[in-house]
Amino acid sequence: MQLSRREFLNALGMAGAAGMLRPRGAQAMGWFKDDPYAIPDFGNVTLMHFTDCHAQLNPVHFREPNVNLGVGPMKGDPPHLVTDAFLEHFGIKKGSKRAHAFTPIDYVEEARRYGKMGGFAHMQTLVNRYRAEREGKALLLDGGDTWQGSATSLWSNARDMVRASNHLGVDVMTGHWEFTYGSDRLRELIDGGALNMDFVAQNITDNTWGDRIDLFSPYTVKERNGVRIAVIGQAFPFTPIANPQYKVPGWSFGIDEENAQKVVDEIHDGDKADMVVILSHNGMDVDKKMASRLRGVDVILGGHTHDAMPAPMEIPNKGGGLDGKTLVINSGSNGKFLTRMDFDVKNGKVRDYRFHMLPIFSNEIEPDPDMAQLIGEERTKAQEGVGKDLSEELAVTEDLLYRRGNFNGTFDQLICDALMETQDAEVALSPGFRWGTTVLPGDPITLEHVYSQTAITYPEVTLSNMSGERLKLSLEDVAENLFNPDPYYQQGGDMVRVGGLKFAFNPKESQGNRIQDLEVNGEPLDPKKTYKVAGWASVDPIEEDLPAVYDVVAGWLREKKNVKVGEPNIPKLKGVKGNPGLDMDVRLS
């Protein structure tokens, strides 16, 4: 019996994906004693990049993962390093401020010490500073997943994020979760003039009549300080699988490496640019493979997998780039980081570069007053529009609530607990999303926190009857999409989170054999038995009137008042001892 991942998502509401030498350009990364955001002048053009902010306009806590396993040739290679292995690889001192920004080590203590991170008003201050310092040499690029992930973006139908991005001065963007607002809304914002930037994607087409029709400009060329910069868009290639196809009917997505090379060749053959950039939402492993197979690409600015990488990778390519290498970076998520890359470009070729990955510690940066005012206006308008107060305190958490990690997080465990109890289900499944902010122990869980975990345009809670056999095969299919040794078959995200179900997991096993020793409520899984399974975020249209997950979880929290999740339900891991993508606090066999 075969069950496709899409069938699994339809049935359960599981949307979303469920040793390098230090590069010569990765120097001090902007971390100086007297002014942590001072950067020495270098080169003649600058790229600034952020990605995957997930509509977090204000500063947040966001805990980085302690489990980010790499399989096959990806084992031990960035981004599949966590905690001490991560710090050692990138030369970051343990216990330092930078260590807190990039790892979950001593997270609660350090979060209380250093405060929240990110915020568009704080990022605006940095962007304005670097634009002024570079005097017409800078370009600001947004890797997507900008319009989704908060209550205000959901309630305003992305209006707040479009206004904020315009004010920030983004020059070019690509997308993923933006498409979940639907093709009509996307066209209204992009074609209607609301969006003051180029939206590029070489890999989205309409193939209805057989001929290829690009739905967006594949690339744009921007000139800064006399340097022509071609920016090619690479939107998330698996959107119709990870998210509802009905939101973008007739649109076709894919990695489309062949067309990407055609676009690069067109740019070079026509002498249209001095440097070629791919603004990508592939995920970092996919970007690394793509970089190795394309000719003529200087840098890939990546997103989707939320990997905060303190240094770029220099990937040997098929020709062109910097000394036969393409630079691949990933700028984290939730607005925590701004990447700045300075390039020396002469005679139509990149000669050298400097890389700076800048953690945005909100307590150390004065917020831009105009952006702060815009954010305040949008928040007030959005809350008044629906009659809800995002500061409402629903309950108090005794535990650290976080999401990020390959197999589970405590906030996901909370969601699963709420679904099982409110839906009277034996098993609960929650998507392996990587977005969602963190709540410190002893802090109130606000309505805003709940929406930061659940704010999507298809939020219905579903209840399904599934056989044990189908449940097991469904989990195997998701595991295959996440741990396939070929990056081009990976869809990013993390494993589906489970409640009521326990299992062992071995990523080294072949397809269909990774999920082992399943139990439901302490009893071995019966392949022939039917189980009552709750989930949310179905990728198929739902005709019946079902409750939204954010309403279900918020109501459950109001009744609880205080919550203690305890340890998240993480599978027993096999075959991963010594893997540097695993924190040793996780159980090993």
Side-chain angles (χ1 to χ4, degrees):
M1 176 180 177
Q2 292 293 325
L3 185 70
S4 73
R5 187 177 192 221
R6 182 168 186 84
E7 289 173 324
F8 176 49
L9 298 177
N10 294 347
L12 299 183
M14 294 297 97
M20 156 184 107
L21 294 176
R22 188 167 307 284
R24 65 187 181 188
Q27 299 196 349
M29 292 175 281
W31 206 250
F32 295 87
K33 182 177 179 181
D34 297 327
D35 181 354
Y37 298 103
I39 295 177
D41 193 56
F42 176 84
N44 54 350
V45 69
T46 291
L47 302 182
M48 292 183 287
H49 176 250
F50 71 95
T51 188
D52 296 278
C53 75
H54 283 285
Q56 299 305 318
L57 288 174
N58 283 327
V60 299
H61 291 300
F62 182 82
R63 177 191 182 271
E64 300 294 338
N66 67 309
V67 186
N68 191 10
L69 292 173
V71 295
M74 292 163 281
K75 177 185 175 181
D77 207 33
H80 303 289
L81 300 166
V82 298
T83 59
D84 291 340
F86 183 100
L87 298 180
E88 181 179 355
H89 182 89
F90 290 109
I92 299 174
K93 182 181 178 181
K94 190 172 183 177
S96 66
K97 190 179 298 184
R98 286 183 70 79
H100 171 62
F102 288 100
T103 73
I105 297 172
D106 299 328
Y107 185 79
V108 174
E109 177 185 346
E110 300 294 79
R112 288 184 170 135
R113 178 183 179 188
Y114 294 120
K116 294 181 177 181
M117 298 186 66
F120 263 46
H122 304 78
M123 187 186 293
Q124 182 82 73
T125 297
L126 280 185
V127 169
N128 290 348
R129 170 179 176 170
Y130 295 145
R131 278 202 175 109
E133 291 177 355
R134 294 298 279 167
E135 299 178 330
K137 301 174 185 175
L139 198 64
L140 178 61
L141 307 174
D142 173 4
D145 278 5
T146 300
W147 300 356
Q148 173 277 336
S150 71
T152 55
S153 63
L154 181 68
W155 296 339
S156 71
N157 212 12
R159 182 198 62 231
D160 66 330
M161 294 311 303
V162 170
R163 286 192 65 204
S165 297
N166 287 340
H167 194 279
L168 192 61
V170 174
D171 295 294
V172 190
M173 75 174 293
T174 193
H176 168 205
W177 276 91
E178 286 75 13
F179 305 124
T180 63
Y181 286 98
S183 54
D184 290 344
R185 179 57 172 164
L186 214 65
R187 286 302 185 192
E188 178 186 0
L189 291 170
I190 295 173
D191 300 338
L195 196 66
N196 298 337
M197 66 199 70
D198 293 320
F199 192 103
V200 292
Q202 69 85 20
N203 60 329
I204 306 178
T205 61
D206 183 345
N207 296 326
T208 304
W209 306 108
D211 295 328
R212 179 189 178 100
I213 301 173
D214 290 321
L215 291 172
F216 300 93
S217 297
Y219 69 96
T220 185
V221 177
K222 300 290 184 181
E223 185 172 321
R224 291 294 185 272
N225 192 35
V227 177
R228 299 166 301 164
I229 308 161
V231 182
I232 302 170
Q234 179 77 8
F236 181 52
F238 302 108
T239 296
I241 300 172
N243 309 100
Q245 173 74 69
Y246 69 83
K247 295 286 187 180
V248 285
W251 292 19
S252 179
F253 294 72
I255 294 174
D256 214 345
E257 177 191 294
E258 181 179 354
N259 189 67
Q261 187 64 67
K262 288 180 180 178
V263 173
V264 174
D265 291 344
E266 175 187 323
I267 293 166
H268 283 298
D269 293 345
D271 191 25
K272 297 180 179 181
D274 302 300
M275 65 180 298
V276 176
V277 176
I278 295 181
L279 183 60
S280 169
H281 206 87
N282 278 334
M284 192 165 182
D285 287 331
V286 180
D287 283 337
K288 287 160 60 180
K289 180 173 180 177
M290 196 174 198
S292 74
R293 293 168 62 87
L294 294 179
R295 302 180 308 276
V297 177
D298 295 298
V299 58
I300 298 179
L301 306 176
H304 180 58
T305 41
H306 294 198
D307 300 305
M309 292 291 102
M313 297 193 73
E314 297 183 347
I315 307 296
N317 59 32
K318 296 291 186 180
L322 178 64
D323 298 333
K325 296 181 177 66
T326 297
L327 305 174
V328 175
I329 76 161
N330 202 296
S331 297
S333 69
N334 285 271
K336 283 179 61 175
F337 302 94
L338 178 69
T339 293
R340 172 175 158 178
M341 299 188 77
D342 299 333
F343 293 89
D344 178 24
V345 183
K346 293 179 181 178
N347 301 321
K349 182 176 175 60
V350 175
R351 306 292 179 177
D352 203 354
Y353 74 98
R354 296 293 182 268
F355 175 91
H356 312 274
M357 181 83 162
L358 301 155
I360 301 175
F361 287 99
S362 308
N363 289 344
E364 297 185 359
I365 303 171
E366 286 295 324
D368 177 79
D370 293 335
M371 178 66 86
Q373 180 177 341
L374 184 155
I375 293 170
E377 292 171 355
E378 284 295 330
R379 286 175 64 82
T380 298
K381 189 183 299 183
Q383 291 176 93
E384 290 178 348
V386 298
K388 293 184 178 181
D389 178 8
L390 288 174
S391 66
E392 179 191 356
E393 298 182 1
L394 306 172
V396 174
T397 178
E398 296 184 29
D399 302 303
L400 175 69
L401 297 180
Y402 63 91
R403 167 167 279 169
R404 187 71 176 84
N406 279 162
F407 297 100
N408 210 343
T410 49
F411 217 127
D412 284 305
Q413 195 64 57
L414 183 154
I415 293 172
C416 286
D417 291 347
L419 291 179
M420 285 193 295
E421 188 170 325
T422 61
Q423 308 303 304
D424 191 26
E426 298 167 274
V427 175
L429 300 167
S430 190
F433 297 145
R434 293 190 171 189
W435 48 269
T437 61
T438 297
V439 186
L440 302 183
D443 283 1
I445 306 170
T446 66
L447 186 62
E448 184 157 27
H449 289 135
V450 171
Y451 273 91
S452 82
Q453 307 285 330
T454 59
I456 63 174
T457 59
Y458 47 105
E460 292 84 3
V461 171
T462 59
L463 195 59
S464 306
N465 292 315
M466 294 189 69
S467 70
E469 179 185 26
R470 190 178 183 194
L471 184 55
K472 197 263 189 187
L473 288 170
S474 301
L475 294 173
E476 290 281 10
D477 191 74
V478 176
E480 174 66 12
N481 282 285
L482 301 181
F483 293 97
N484 193 297
D486 186 342
Y488 275 14
Y489 291 94
Q490 294 178 4
Q491 297 176 14
D494 288 314
M495 191 66 187
V496 172
R497 282 71 163 102
V498 300
L501 176 70
K502 293 184 179 298
F503 59 93
F505 185 87
N506 190 336
K508 291 184 177 181
E509 288 287 355
S510 59
Q511 183 176 5
N513 298 300
R514 294 185 179 97
I515 308 293
Q516 305 168 6
D517 307 328
L518 290 95
E519 295 181 357
V520 175
N521 297 320
E523 297 292 329
L525 181 82
D526 185 343
K528 300 187 181 303
K529 181 179 178 180
T530 298
Y531 296 92
K532 200 174 179 182
V533 181
W536 61 285
S538 174
V539 297
D540 267 3
I542 294 179
E543 303 298 334
E544 54 187 317
D545 187 18
L546 296 176
V549 64
Y550 33 77
D551 292 332
V552 170
V553 174
W556 183 81
L557 286 169
R558 289 188 186 101
E559 291 184 1
K560 293 294 180 182
K561 304 297 184 186
N562 289 278
V563 291
K564 181 174 180 57
V565 177
E567 291 294 321
N569 182 20
I570 294 174
K572 182 179 180 180
L573 299 176
K574 299 180 178 181
V576 295
K577 190 171 184 178
N579 191 308
L582 176 70
D583 185 279
M584 294 303 290
D585 287 339
V586 177
R587 289 172 294 153
L588 300 173
S589 60

